[in-house]
Amino acid sequence: MEADPLYYRSVDSLASVYVPTASGGQVPLSAIVKVDVETRPLLINHLAQFPATTVSFNLSPGASLGAAVTAIETAERGVGLPNSIRTTFQGAALAFRSNLNNELLLLVAAVLVMYIVLGCCTRASSTPLPSYRPLPSAGIGALLALMLAGDDLTIIGAHRIILLIGIVKKNAIR
């Protein structure tokens, strides 16, 4: 059953609601219920069982995600949040931070895979060793080129360095 919509337009209409008693009589709802009117959110979001709020941001044209993450972390330290408040990144910013942690491992794995491939191509495990001599200058040159161009070492930049390492190693075998 439902009350007529005319009666629930305001909280004051609860005064006209009566409920049945055990003896069969009617009692006003206000006799058994205390009504407090407060402002509360309709929905409380949670992240890992804790109340959470989401603050989103977009990058301006030409801005890098790394610079934005650094600026947000600097602003967070400047505000002086209490210890009970935890901040985390989600989405692309979280993926960016986790990829930065794995970049060195990615480069080492790429060099190891290229060593194995070159060993298979030359049919000897000792032949690829001299081809490692030009790699430090190629890697340093690639990082200097990124710095001169004003670019950050992003995932795309790391992939370009891996490709450069492969090209340098291939040319070193010839």
Coordinates of all heavy atoms in Angstrom, one line a residue, residues 83-139:
N83 N 46.5 12.0 8.9 CA 47.0 10.6 8.6 C 45.8 9.7 8.4 O 46.0 8.6 7.8 CB 47.8 10.1 9.8 CG 49.1 10.8 9.9 OD1 49.6 11.3 9.0 ND2 49.7 10.8 11.1
S84 N 44.6 10.1 8.8 CA 43.4 9.2 8.6 C 42.9 9.2 7.1 O 42.1 8.4 6.7 CB 42.3 9.6 9.5 OG 41.9 10.9 9.3
I85 N 43.4 10.2 6.3 CA 43.0 10.3 4.9 C 44.1 9.7 4.0 O 45.2 10.1 4.1 CB 42.7 11.7 4.5 CG1 41.5 12.3 5.4 CG2 42.4 11.9 3.0 CD1 41.2 13.7 5.1
R86 N 43.7 8.7 3.2 CA 44.6 8.1 2.3 C 44.2 8.5 0.9 O 43.0 8.6 0.5 CB 44.5 6.6 2.4 CG 44.7 6.0 3.8 CD 46.2 5.8 4.0 NE 46.3 5.2 5.3 CZ 47.1 5.7 6.2 NH1 47.8 6.8 6.0 NH2 47.3 5.0 7.4
T87 N 45.2 8.7 0.0 CA 44.9 9.1 -1.4 C 45.6 8.0 -2.3 O 46.7 7.6 -2.0 CB 45.4 10.5 -1.7 OG1 46.8 10.5 -1.5 CG2 44.8 11.5 -0.9
T88 N 44.9 7.7 -3.3 CA 45.4 6.7 -4.3 C 45.0 7.2 -5.7 O 44.0 7.9 -5.8 CB 44.9 5.3 -4.1 OG1 43.5 5.3 -4.2 CG2 45.3 4.7 -2.8
F89 N 45.8 6.8 -6.7 CA 45.4 7.0 -8.0 C 44.7 5.8 -8.6 O 45.0 4.7 -8.2 CB 46.7 7.3 -8.9 CG 47.3 8.7 -8.6 CD1 48.4 8.8 -7.8 CD2 46.7 9.8 -9.2 CE1 49.0 10.0 -7.6 CE2 47.3 11.0 -8.9 CZ 48.4 11.2 -8.1
Q90 N 43.8 6.1 -9.5 CA 43.0 5.0 -10.2 C 43.2 5.3 -11.7 O 43.6 6.3 -12.1 CB 41.6 5.1 -9.8 CG 41.3 4.8 -8.3 CD 41.6 3.4 -7.9 OE1 41.3 2.4 -8.7 NE2 42.3 3.2 -6.8
G91 N 42.8 4.3 -12.5 CA 42.7 4.5 -13.9 C 44.1 4.6 -14.6 O 45.1 3.9 -14.2
A92 N 44.2 5.6 -15.5 CA 45.4 5.8 -16.3 C 46.6 6.3 -15.4 O 47.7 5.9 -15.6 CB 45.1 6.9 -17.3
A93 N 46.3 7.0 -14.3 CA 47.4 7.5 -13.5 C 48.0 6.3 -12.7 O 49.2 6.2 -12.5 CB 46.9 8.6 -12.5
L94 N 47.1 5.4 -12.3 CA 47.6 4.2 -11.6 C 48.5 3.3 -12.5 O 49.5 2.8 -12.1 CB 46.5 3.4 -11.0 CG 46.8 2.1 -10.2 CD1 47.7 2.4 -9.0 CD2 45.6 1.3 -9.9
A95 N 48.0 3.2 -13.7 CA 48.7 2.4 -14.7 C 50.0 3.0 -15.0 O 51.1 2.3 -15.2 CB 47.9 2.2 -16.0
F96 N 50.1 4.4 -15.1 CA 51.3 5.1 -15.4 C 52.3 4.8 -14.3 O 53.5 4.5 -14.6 CB 51.0 6.6 -15.5 CG 52.2 7.5 -15.6 CD1 52.9 7.6 -16.7 CD2 52.6 8.2 -14.4 CE1 54.1 8.4 -16.8 CE2 53.7 9.0 -14.5 CZ 54.5 9.1 -15.6
R97 N 51.9 4.9 -13.0 CA 52.8 4.7 -11.9 C 53.3 3.3 -11.8 O 54.5 3.1 -11.6 CB 52.1 5.1 -10.6 CG 51.9 6.6 -10.6 CD 51.3 7.0 -9.3 NE 52.3 7.2 -8.3 CZ 52.1 7.2 -7.0 NH1 50.8 7.2 -6.6 NH2 53.0 7.3 -6.1
S98 N 52.5 2.3 -12.1 CA 52.9 0.9 -12.1 C 53.8 0.6 -13.2 O 54.8 -0.2 -13.1 CB 51.7 0.0 -12.0 OG 51.0 0.0 -13.2
N99 N 53.6 1.3 -14.4 CA 54.5 1.0 -15.5 C 55.9 1.7 -15.3 O 56.9 1.1 -15.7 CB 53.9 1.6 -16.8 CG 52.8 0.8 -17.3 OD1 52.7 -0.4 -17.0 ND2 51.9 1.4 -18.1
L100 N 55.9 2.8 -14.6 CA 57.2 3.4 -14.2 C 58.0 2.5 -13.3 O 59.3 2.4 -13.5 CB 57.0 4.8 -13.6 CG 56.6 5.9 -14.4 CD1 56.5 7.2 -13.6 CD2 57.7 6.1 -15.5
N101 N 57.4 1.8 -12.4 CA 58.1 0.9 -11.5 C 58.7 -0.3 -12.3 O 59.6 -0.9 -11.9 CB 57.2 0.4 -10.4 CG 56.7 1.5 -9.5 OD1 57.4 2.5 -9.4 ND2 55.6 1.3 -8.9
N102 N 58.1 -0.7 -13.4 CA 58.5 -1.9 -14.2 C 59.3 -1.6 -15.4 O 59.7 -2.5 -16.1 CB 57.3 -2.7 -14.6 CG 56.5 -3.2 -13.4 OD1 57.0 -3.5 -12.4 ND2 55.2 -3.3 -13.6
E103 N 59.7 -0.3 -15.6 CA 60.4 0.1 -16.8 C 61.8 -0.5 -16.9 O 62.2 -1.0 -17.9 CB 60.5 1.6 -17.0 CG 59.7 2.1 -18.2 CD 59.7 3.6 -18.3 OE1 60.8 4.2 -18.3 OE2 58.6 4.1 -18.3
L104 N 62.5 -0.5 -15.8 CA 63.9 -1.0 -15.8 C 63.8 -2.5 -16.0 O 64.6 -3.1 -16.8 CB 64.6 -0.7 -14.5 CG 66.0 -1.3 -14.3 CD1 66.9 -0.6 -15.4 CD2 66.5 -1.0 -13.0
L105 N 62.9 -3.2 -15.4 CA 62.7 -4.7 -15.6 C 62.4 -4.9 -17.1 O 62.9 -5.9 -17.7 CB 61.6 -5.2 -14.7 CG 61.3 -6.7 -14.8 CD1 62.6 -7.5 -14.4 CD2 60.2 -7.0 -13.9
L106 N 61.5 -4.1 -17.7 CA 61.2 -4.2 -19.1 C 62.4 -4.1 -20.0 O 62.6 -4.9 -20.9 CB 60.1 -3.2 -19.4 CG 59.7 -3.1 -20.9 CD1 58.9 -4.4 -21.3 CD2 58.9 -1.9 -21.2
L107 N 63.2 -3.1 -19.7 CA 64.4 -2.9 -20.5 C 65.4 -4.1 -20.4 O 66.0 -4.6 -21.4 CB 65.1 -1.6 -20.2 CG 64.4 -0.3 -20.6 CD1 65.1 0.9 -20.0 CD2 64.3 -0.3 -22.1
V108 N 65.6 -4.6 -19.2 CA 66.5 -5.7 -19.0 C 65.9 -7.0 -19.7 O 66.7 -7.7 -20.3 CB 66.7 -6.0 -17.4 CG1 67.4 -7.3 -17.2 CG2 67.4 -4.9 -16.8
A109 N 64.6 -7.2 -19.6 CA 64.0 -8.3 -20.2 C 64.2 -8.2 -21.7 O 64.4 -9.2 -22.4 CB 62.5 -8.5 -19.8
A110 N 64.0 -7.0 -22.3 CA 64.2 -6.8 -23.7 C 65.6 -7.1 -24.2 O 65.8 -7.8 -25.2 CB 63.8 -5.4 -24.1
V111 N 66.6 -6.7 -23.4 CA 68.0 -7.0 -23.8 C 68.2 -8.5 -23.7 O 68.9 -9.1 -24.6 CB 68.9 -6.2 -22.9 CG1 70.4 -6.7 -23.1 CG2 68.8 -4.7 -23.2
L112 N 67.7 -9.2 -22.7 CA 67.8 -10.6 -22.6 C 67.2 -11.4 -23.7 O 67.8 -12.3 -24.3 CB 67.2 -11.1 -21.2 CG 67.3 -12.6 -21.0 CD1 68.8 -13.0 -20.8 CD2 66.5 -13.0 -19.7
V113 N 66.0 -11.0 -24.1 CA 65.3 -11.6 -25.2 C 66.1 -11.4 -26.5 O 66.2 -12.3 -27.3 CB 63.9 -11.1 -25.4 CG1 63.2 -11.5 -26.7 CG2 63.0 -11.6 -24.2
M114 N 66.6 -10.2 -26.7 CA 67.4 -9.9 -27.9 C 68.7 -10.7 -28.0 O 69.1 -11.2 -29.0 CB 67.7 -8.4 -28.0 CG 66.5 -7.6 -28.4 SD 67.0 -5.9 -28.6 CE 65.6 -5.1 -28.0
Y115 N 69.3 -11.0 -26.8 CA 70.5 -11.8 -26.7 C 70.1 -13.2 -27.2 O 70.9 -13.8 -28.0 CB 71.0 -11.8 -25.3 CG 72.2 -12.7 -25.1 CD1 73.5 -12.3 -25.6 CD2 72.1 -14.0 -24.6 CE1 74.6 -13.2 -25.4 CE2 73.2 -14.8 -24.5 CZ 74.4 -14.4 -24.9 OH 75.5 -15.2 -24.7
I116 N 69.0 -13.7 -26.7 CA 68.6 -15.1 -27.1 C 68.3 -15.2 -28.6 O 68.7 -16.1 -29.3 CB 67.3 -15.5 -26.2 CG1 67.7 -15.7 -24.8 CG2 66.7 -16.8 -26.8 CD1 66.6 -15.8 -23.8
V117 N 67.6 -14.2 -29.1 CA 67.2 -14.2 -30.5 C 68.5 -14.1 -31.4 O 68.6 -14.8 -32.4 CB 66.2 -13.0 -30.8 CG1 66.1 -12.8 -32.3 CG2 64.9 -13.3 -30.2
L118 N 69.4 -13.2 -31.0 CA 70.6 -13.1 -31.7 C 71.5 -14.3 -31.6 O 72.1 -14.7 -32.6 CB 71.4 -11.8 -31.3 CG 70.8 -10.5 -31.7 CD1 71.5 -9.4 -31.0 CD2 70.8 -10.3 -33.2
G119 N 71.5 -15.0 -30.5 CA 72.2 -16.2 -30.4 C 71.6 -17.3 -31.3 O 72.3 -18.1 -31.9
C120 N 70.3 -17.3 -31.4 CA 69.6 -18.2 -32.4 C 70.0 -17.9 -33.8 O 70.2 -18.8 -34.6 CB 68.1 -18.2 -32.2 SG 67.6 -18.9 -30.6
C121 N 70.0 -16.6 -34.1 CA 70.3 -16.2 -35.5 C 71.7 -16.5 -35.9 O 72.0 -16.8 -37.0 CB 70.0 -14.7 -35.7 SG 68.3 -14.3 -35.6
T122 N 72.7 -16.3 -35.0 CA 74.1 -16.6 -35.3 C 74.5 -18.0 -35.0 O 75.6 -18.3 -35.3 CB 75.0 -15.6 -34.5 OG1 74.8 -15.8 -33.1 CG2 74.7 -14.2 -34.9
R123 N 73.7 -18.8 -34.4 CA 73.9 -20.2 -34.0 C 75.1 -20.4 -33.1 O 75.8 -21.4 -33.1 CB 74.1 -21.0 -35.3 CG 72.8 -21.1 -36.1 CD 73.0 -22.1 -37.3 NE 71.8 -22.1 -38.0 CZ 71.6 -21.5 -39.2 NH1 72.5 -20.8 -39.7 NH2 70.5 -21.6 -39.8
A124 N 75.4 -19.3 -32.3 CA 76.4 -19.4 -31.3 C 76.1 -18.5 -30.2 O 75.7 -17.4 -30.4 CB 77.8 -19.1 -31.9
S125 N 76.3 -19.0 -29.0 CA 76.0 -18.1 -27.8 C 77.0 -17.1 -27.5 O 76.8 -16.1 -26.9 CB 75.7 -19.0 -26.6 OG 76.9 -19.7 -26.3
S126 N 78.3 -17.2 -28.0 CA 79.3 -16.2 -27.7 C 79.4 -15.1 -28.8 O 79.9 -14.1 -28.5 CB 80.7 -16.9 -27.6 OG 81.0 -17.5 -28.9
T127 N 78.8 -15.3 -30.0 CA 78.9 -14.3 -31.0 C 78.2 -13.0 -30.7 O 78.7 -12.0 -31.0 CB 78.3 -14.9 -32.3 OG1 79.0 -16.1 -32.6 CG2 78.5 -13.9 -33.5
P128 N 77.0 -13.1 -30.0 CA 76.3 -11.8 -29.7 C 77.0 -10.9 -28.7 O 76.7 -9.7 -28.6 CB 75.0 -12.2 -29.2 CG 74.7 -13.6 -29.6 CD 76.1 -14.2 -29.7
L129 N 78.0 -11.4 -27.9 CA 78.6 -10.7 -26.9 C 79.3 -9.4 -27.4 O 79.1 -8.3 -26.9 CB 79.6 -11.5 -26.1 CG 79.0 -12.5 -25.2 CD1 80.1 -13.4 -24.5 CD2 78.1 -11.9 -24.2
P130 N 80.0 -9.4 -28.5 CA 80.6 -8.2 -29.0 C 79.6 -7.1 -29.5 O 79.9 -5.9 -29.5 CB 81.5 -8.6 -30.2 CG 81.8 -10.0 -30.0 CD 80.6 -10.6 -29.3
S131 N 78.4 -7.6 -29.8 CA 77.4 -6.7 -30.3 C 76.8 -5.8 -29.1 O 76.0 -4.9 -29.4 CB 76.2 -7.4 -31.0 OG 75.5 -8.2 -30.0
Y132 N 77.1 -6.1 -27.9 CA 76.7 -5.3 -26.7 C 77.5 -4.1 -26.6 O 77.1 -3.2 -25.8 CB 76.7 -6.2 -25.5 CG 75.5 -7.1 -25.3 CD1 75.6 -8.4 -25.6 CD2 74.3 -6.6 -24.9 CE1 74.5 -9.3 -25.5 CE2 73.2 -7.4 -24.7 CZ 73.3 -8.7 -25.0 OH 72.2 -9.5 -24.9
R133 N 78.7 -4.0 -27.2 CA 79.5 -2.8 -27.0 C 78.8 -1.5 -27.4 O 79.0 -0.5 -26.7 CB 80.9 -3.0 -27.7 CG 81.8 -3.8 -26.9 CD 83.1 -3.9 -27.6 NE 83.0 -5.0 -28.6 CZ 83.6 -5.0 -29.8 NH1 84.5 -4.1 -30.1 NH2 83.4 -6.0 -30.6
P134 N 78.1 -1.4 -28.5 CA 77.5 -0.1 -28.9 C 76.2 0.2 -28.1 O 75.7 1.3 -28.3 CB 77.2 -0.3 -30.4 CG 77.1 -1.8 -30.6 CD 78.0 -2.4 -29.6
L135 N 75.7 -0.7 -27.3 CA 74.4 -0.5 -26.6 C 74.5 0.7 -25.6 O 73.5 1.5 -25.6 CB 73.9 -1.7 -25.9 CG 73.4 -2.8 -26.9 CD1 72.9 -4.0 -26.1 CD2 72.4 -2.3 -27.8
P136 N 75.5 0.8 -24.8 CA 75.5 2.0 -23.9 C 75.5 3.3 -24.6 O 74.7 4.2 -24.2 CB 76.8 1.8 -23.1 CG 77.1 0.3 -23.2 CD 76.6 -0.1 -24.5
S137 N 76.2 3.5 -25.6 CA 76.2 4.8 -26.3 C 74.9 5.0 -27.0 O 74.4 6.1 -27.1 CB 77.4 4.8 -27.3 OG 77.3 3.8 -28.3
A138 N 74.2 3.9 -27.5 CA 72.9 4.0 -28.2 C 71.9 4.4 -27.1 O 71.0 5.3 -27.4 CB 72.5 2.7 -28.9
G139 N 71.9 3.7 -26.0 CA 70.9 4.0 -24.9 C 71.1 5.5 -24.4 O 70.1 6.2 -24.2

